[in-house]
Amino acid sequence: MAYMDYEPVIGTVVNVARGNDCCSQTISLRTESGIVNFTMGPETHVIDNRPLRAGLRVAAFYDASLPVPLIFPPQYQAQIIAVLVRDEQIMLNEFDRNLTARDGTLQLNIARNTVIETLNGQRVSCSPGNQTLLVYYTTTTRSIPPQTTPRRIVVLC
Protein backbone atom coordinates (compact mmCIF):
# COMPACT_ATOMS: atom_id res chain seq x y z
CA MET A 1 0.00 0.00 0.00
CA ALA A 2 1.28 3.48 -0.91
CA TYR A 3 1.02 5.23 2.44
CA MET A 4 3.33 8.01 1.28
CA ASP A 5 0.47 9.57 -0.70
CA TYR A 6 -1.58 9.93 2.49
CA GLU A 7 -2.15 13.49 3.72
CA PRO A 8 -3.48 14.33 7.19
CA VAL A 9 -6.25 16.71 8.12
CA ILE A 10 -6.36 17.48 11.85
CA GLY A 11 -9.50 18.83 13.40
CA THR A 12 -12.36 18.38 15.83
CA VAL A 13 -15.30 16.17 14.94
CA VAL A 14 -18.40 18.32 14.53
CA ASN A 15 -20.82 15.72 13.21
CA VAL A 16 -21.03 12.00 12.44
CA ALA A 17 -23.83 10.99 10.07
CA ARG A 18 -24.98 7.86 8.26
CA GLY A 19 -23.60 7.60 4.74
CA ASN A 20 -25.25 6.39 1.54
CA ASP A 21 -25.54 2.83 2.87
CA CYS A 22 -25.36 0.91 6.14
CA CYS A 23 -21.59 0.45 5.88
CA SER A 24 -20.56 4.08 5.46
CA GLN A 25 -20.54 7.25 7.51
CA THR A 26 -19.69 10.87 6.91
CA ILE A 27 -17.79 12.86 9.50
CA SER A 28 -17.33 16.62 9.49
CA LEU A 29 -14.18 18.11 10.99
CA ARG A 30 -13.65 21.70 12.07
CA THR A 31 -10.09 22.59 11.11
CA GLU A 32 -8.10 25.82 11.21
CA SER A 33 -9.11 26.29 7.54
CA GLY A 34 -12.81 25.54 8.02
CA ILE A 35 -15.03 22.47 7.70
CA VAL A 36 -13.75 19.34 5.90
CA ASN A 37 -15.95 16.28 5.30
CA PHE A 38 -14.74 12.70 5.19
CA THR A 39 -16.51 9.60 3.97
CA MET A 40 -15.72 6.47 5.98
CA GLY A 41 -16.31 3.04 4.48
CA PRO A 42 -15.40 -0.57 5.28
CA GLU A 43 -11.82 0.06 4.09
CA THR A 44 -11.28 2.96 6.51
CA HIS A 45 -9.00 2.06 9.44
CA VAL A 46 -10.00 3.75 12.70
CA ILE A 47 -7.10 3.24 15.09
CA ASP A 48 -8.25 1.27 18.17
CA ASN A 49 -11.73 0.96 16.56
CA ARG A 50 -12.78 3.98 18.63
CA PRO A 51 -16.32 5.19 18.07
CA LEU A 52 -16.16 8.71 16.65
CA ARG A 53 -18.30 11.42 18.22
CA ALA A 54 -18.59 15.18 18.24
CA GLY A 55 -15.83 16.89 20.22
CA LEU A 56 -13.03 14.38 19.54
CA ARG A 57 -9.79 15.75 18.09
CA VAL A 58 -8.72 13.49 15.23
CA ALA A 59 -6.30 13.17 12.35
CA ALA A 60 -7.98 11.87 9.20
CA PHE A 61 -5.66 10.69 6.44
CA TYR A 62 -6.76 10.61 2.81
CA ASP A 63 -5.01 9.39 -0.34
CA ALA A 64 -3.90 12.56 -2.16
CA SER A 65 -3.29 10.58 -5.36
CA LEU A 66 -7.02 9.86 -5.77
CA PRO A 67 -9.37 12.26 -7.57
CA VAL A 68 -11.69 14.32 -5.36
CA PRO A 69 -14.85 16.25 -6.22
CA LEU A 70 -14.38 20.02 -6.52
CA ILE A 71 -16.99 20.97 -3.95
CA PHE A 72 -17.12 23.11 -0.86
CA PRO A 73 -16.61 22.11 1.86
CA PRO A 74 -13.97 19.66 0.64
CA GLN A 75 -14.84 15.98 0.86
CA TYR A 76 -12.31 13.14 0.96
CA GLN A 77 -12.37 9.37 1.42
CA ALA A 78 -10.81 8.64 4.82
CA GLN A 79 -8.16 5.91 4.76
CA ILE A 80 -6.96 6.14 8.39
CA ILE A 81 -8.49 8.02 11.32
CA ALA A 82 -6.61 8.44 14.60
CA VAL A 83 -7.96 10.05 17.77
CA LEU A 84 -5.50 12.50 19.30
CA VAL A 85 -5.13 13.64 22.88
CA ARG A 86 -4.56 17.25 23.86
CA ASP A 87 -1.49 18.87 22.25
CA GLU A 88 -0.60 15.63 20.48
CA GLN A 89 0.91 15.61 17.01
CA ILE A 90 0.90 12.76 14.51
CA MET A 91 3.16 11.90 11.60
CA LEU A 92 2.91 9.25 8.90
CA ASN A 93 6.26 8.71 7.25
CA GLU A 94 8.85 6.13 6.25
CA PHE A 95 11.60 5.80 8.83
CA ASP A 96 15.09 4.40 8.25
CA ARG A 97 16.95 1.94 10.49
CA ASN A 98 18.07 4.86 12.71
CA LEU A 99 14.41 5.90 13.10
CA THR A 100 14.85 9.12 11.13
CA ALA A 101 11.99 10.12 8.86
CA ARG A 102 12.67 9.78 5.14
CA ASP A 103 12.26 13.54 4.67
CA GLY A 104 14.51 14.30 7.67
CA THR A 105 11.79 16.10 9.63
CA LEU A 106 11.80 13.90 12.75
CA GLN A 107 13.97 11.40 14.59
CA LEU A 108 12.50 8.97 17.11
CA ASN A 109 13.94 8.01 20.48
CA ILE A 110 12.13 4.92 21.71
CA ALA A 111 11.45 4.71 25.46
CA ARG A 112 10.39 1.70 27.52
CA ASN A 113 6.86 3.05 27.75
CA THR A 114 6.52 3.73 23.99
CA VAL A 115 3.72 1.51 22.72
CA ILE A 116 4.68 -0.14 19.41
CA GLU A 117 1.98 -2.09 17.59
CA THR A 118 0.58 -2.96 14.18
CA LEU A 119 -2.47 -1.38 12.56
CA ASN A 120 -4.66 -4.14 14.00
CA GLY A 121 -3.34 -3.62 17.56
CA GLN A 122 -0.81 -6.46 17.80
CA ARG A 123 2.38 -5.74 19.77
CA VAL A 124 5.59 -5.42 17.74
CA SER A 125 8.64 -6.96 19.39
CA CYS A 126 11.26 -6.07 16.76
CA SER A 127 12.73 -2.71 15.80
CA PRO A 128 10.27 -0.50 13.91
CA GLY A 129 13.08 0.83 11.69
CA ASN A 130 12.88 0.60 7.89
CA GLN A 131 9.07 0.74 8.03
CA THR A 132 6.23 3.16 7.43
CA LEU A 133 5.19 4.42 10.86
CA LEU A 134 2.29 6.39 12.27
CA VAL A 135 3.89 8.25 15.18
CA TYR A 136 2.04 9.95 18.07
CA TYR A 137 4.13 12.56 19.93
CA THR A 138 3.86 15.86 21.79
CA THR A 139 7.16 17.72 22.04
CA THR A 140 10.34 17.80 19.99
CA THR A 141 13.83 19.14 20.49
CA ARG A 142 15.05 22.14 18.52
CA SER A 143 17.82 20.09 16.94
CA ILE A 144 18.05 19.21 13.26
CA PRO A 145 16.35 16.89 12.75
CA PRO A 146 13.95 17.48 15.64
CA GLN A 147 13.89 14.52 18.03
CA THR A 148 10.99 13.15 20.04
CA THR A 149 10.16 10.28 22.34
CA PRO A 150 6.84 9.12 20.94
CA ARG A 151 3.95 7.97 23.11
CA ARG A 152 2.88 5.46 20.49
CA ILE A 153 4.00 4.02 17.15
CA VAL A 154 1.75 2.13 14.77
CA VAL A 155 3.76 0.07 12.27
CA LEU A 156 2.05 -0.05 8.87
CA CYS A 157 3.37 -3.37 7.60
Side-chain angles (χ1 to χ4, degrees):
M1 179 150 310
Y3 293 111
M4 295 321 301
D5 290 330
Y6 285 17
E7 292 290 330
V9 174
I10 297 175
T12 303
V13 176
V14 176
N15 187 41
V16 180
R18 183 173 175 245
N20 296 333
D21 58 43
C22 290
C23 293
S24 66
Q25 291 180 314
T26 300
I27 64 167
S28 298
L29 299 183
R30 181 180 324 278
T31 69
E32 291 178 357
S33 305
I35 298 293
V36 178
N37 293 324
F38 283 90
T39 302
M40 295 173 35
E43 68 283 349
T44 303
H45 294 284
V46 179
I47 304 293
D48 295 333
N49 295 315
R50 296 230 358 223
L52 301 177
R53 59 176 170 72
L56 286 178
R57 185 169 171 262
V58 301
F61 290 85
Y62 67 94
D63 189 339
S65 69
L66 296 177
V68 294
L70 294 175
I71 59 174
F72 186 81
Q75 181 169 322
Y76 303 106
Q77 174 65 45
Q79 302 299 322
I80 298 173
I81 297 179
V83 176
L84 303 174
V85 298
R86 183 182 171 128
D87 297 327
E88 191 167 49
Q89 301 297 315
I90 195 163
M91 173 188 273
L92 176 64
N93 211 321
E94 289 179 4
F95 286 79
D96 65 17
R97 65 182 179 85
N98 298 318
L99 298 175
T100 301
R102 178 181 67 160
D103 59 5
T105 57
L106 191 65
Q107 184 172 3
L108 307 180
N109 297 315
I110 307 295
R112 279 192 216 179
N113 62 342
T114 301
V115 175
I116 305 173
E117 58 194 7
T118 63
L119 193 56
N120 65 5
Q122 302 303 306
R123 292 285 177 162
V124 173
S125 58
C126 57
S127 170
N130 293 321
Q131 300 278 348
T132 301
L133 307 176
L134 184 63
V135 179
Y136 295 73
Y137 64 98
T138 52
T139 58
T140 62
T141 63
R142 293 184 183 192
S143 62
I144 297 179
Q147 296 182 32
T148 189
T149 303
R151 174 182 70 84
R152 181 179 189 185
I153 298 172
V154 177
V155 180
L156 304 177
C157 300

